Amino acid sequence: MSMHAAPEGLPDDAVVGTGLGEAWRTGRVFGPPIRRIFRDVVADRVPGPRPPQAAMLFQPSADPYWDDDTSFLAEFFNEILHQDTCHPCTADGVALLAALAVDDRVPPRQRFESVVLLFNIATVADRQLAECWPDTPPHADRGSEHRAREAVRACTPGLLARWAFECPAVRLALAGLAVVFPTARTLPALAPRLEGFAGRHPHGTDIGDYVRFVLVLAAGDDHRTLAAVETLTDAYWQGTARRTPLRARAVHLLGQMLARVGHGLTRSAGHGS
């Protein structure tokens, strides 16, 4: 009797002899459920040659924990943005995140996480500048940061076009991405799109404060932005040097707020609410 059950969707004889070798090579067996979902989405939406990070989806040898869901997501996302630092392949990995963010086969939580990571990639230079000012961020790779930011810019219109079809969590992440890449079309649309959130989540709540800060940024008024940054930083968040450029301070704060929104959504999901 075989030590391994045939994976769902494959006949028994597909996992013996040369069939087993081929199945391992293509990554069609023994992967955890979320990896299989990611693999199917990337196979359909990202034609080859694929970015190097896709090896974790298709090549068991690329991940020593191939059969364990526990660390897959963190390791996969870290391959794209390593410890919040862009590297030469980060721009390539943006295509994977964009594909995952728009496919309904991917659970809402992972679609949210994919958009948040796109936000983090697009803002890494500003956020690190705010953290290190007046010093230079020690591990910055400006060329990689620029290429990755432009890759996110290129995919953002397609992400925002799905607003009407997205769940509330993903909409919150998309709102952050919209103000990172403001256009004359997207900014006026944010206010009506976020009215429902503002009505349901008052001041002093994570989502309420985040949504209202997004709307301040969308208005493009530096005086209001500075006032909001000062007020919110004093009340809740890790501060930044006041001499830091305002955009960097604002994006640094927005990233913190989006992260806390994500933690809150995760806790809510864990409690079944």
Side-chain angles (χ1 to χ4, degrees):
M1 181 176 178
S2 171
M3 293 293 290
H4 300 289
E8 183 178 354
L10 290 176
D12 289 341
D13 59 0
V15 293
V16 297
T18 58
L20 176 61
E22 176 65 7
W24 272 108
R25 187 186 69 77
T26 58
R28 291 185 296 126
V29 299
F30 307 145
I34 191 62
R35 195 195 310 259
R36 287 201 297 268
I37 293 172
F38 279 24
R39 180 165 58 239
D40 290 346
V41 170
V42 169
D44 291 344
R45 292 182 176 270
V46 185
R50 297 189 179 96
Q53 299 91 342
M56 290 190 66
L57 305 177
F58 295 93
Q59 299 176 19
S61 60
D63 183 359
Y65 305 104
W66 176 261
D67 59 351
D68 183 6
D69 248 340
T70 305
S71 63
F72 164 68
L73 287 171
E75 292 298 325
F76 177 72
F77 289 143
N78 191 55
E79 284 290 305
I80 298 174
L81 182 67
H82 181 65
Q83 297 181 353
D84 206 30
T85 302
C86 290
H87 53 78
C89 293
T90 297
D92 298 326
V94 166
L96 302 177
L97 297 174
L100 297 170
V102 300
D103 198 295
D104 291 329
R105 287 172 290 183
V106 177
R109 178 176 174 182
Q110 280 74 52
R111 293 206 312 276
F112 171 84
E113 291 173 346
S114 296
V115 178
V116 170
L117 191 55
L118 289 169
F119 171 91
N120 290 341
I121 290 170
T123 62
V124 65
D126 283 324
R127 290 184 295 104
Q128 290 186 355
L129 177 66
E131 290 172 0
C132 296
W133 185 269
D135 297 325
T136 300
H139 304 296
D141 179 342
R142 295 304 185 205
S144 294
E145 290 168 0
H146 175 74
R147 290 191 297 274
R149 177 181 171 83
E150 291 307 302
V152 178
R153 184 196 300 274
C155 73
T156 293
L159 299 175
L160 294 176
R162 278 183 49 90
W163 181 281
F165 309 103
E166 280 297 355
C167 66
V170 176
R171 290 181 183 181
L172 289 169
L174 288 175
L177 204 55
V179 294
V180 171
F181 299 111
T183 70
R185 181 178 181 182
T186 58
L187 291 187
L190 272 179
R193 287 178 173 181
L194 295 177
E195 283 177 356
F197 288 105
R200 293 191 300 272
H201 300 277
H203 287 282
T205 62
D206 291 343
I207 292 178
D209 286 348
Y210 169 78
V211 166
R212 288 169 178 82
F213 188 49
V214 166
L215 292 174
V216 169
L217 297 180
D221 184 323
D222 285 351
H223 294 292
R224 288 183 60 200
T225 298
L226 178 59
V229 168
E230 293 285 350
T231 300
L232 288 167
T233 298
D234 288 345
Y236 304 109
W237 309 96
Q238 176 187 344
T240 49
R242 284 184 165 85
R243 292 178 180 268
T244 305
L246 179 57
R247 173 182 170 81
R249 294 188 70 195
V251 169
H252 182 266
L253 174 59
L254 188 65
Q256 291 182 74
M257 299 176 82
L258 182 55
R260 185 176 293 185
V261 166
H263 292 154
L265 294 171
T266 301
R267 288 195 302 271
S268 296
H271 287 87
S273 57

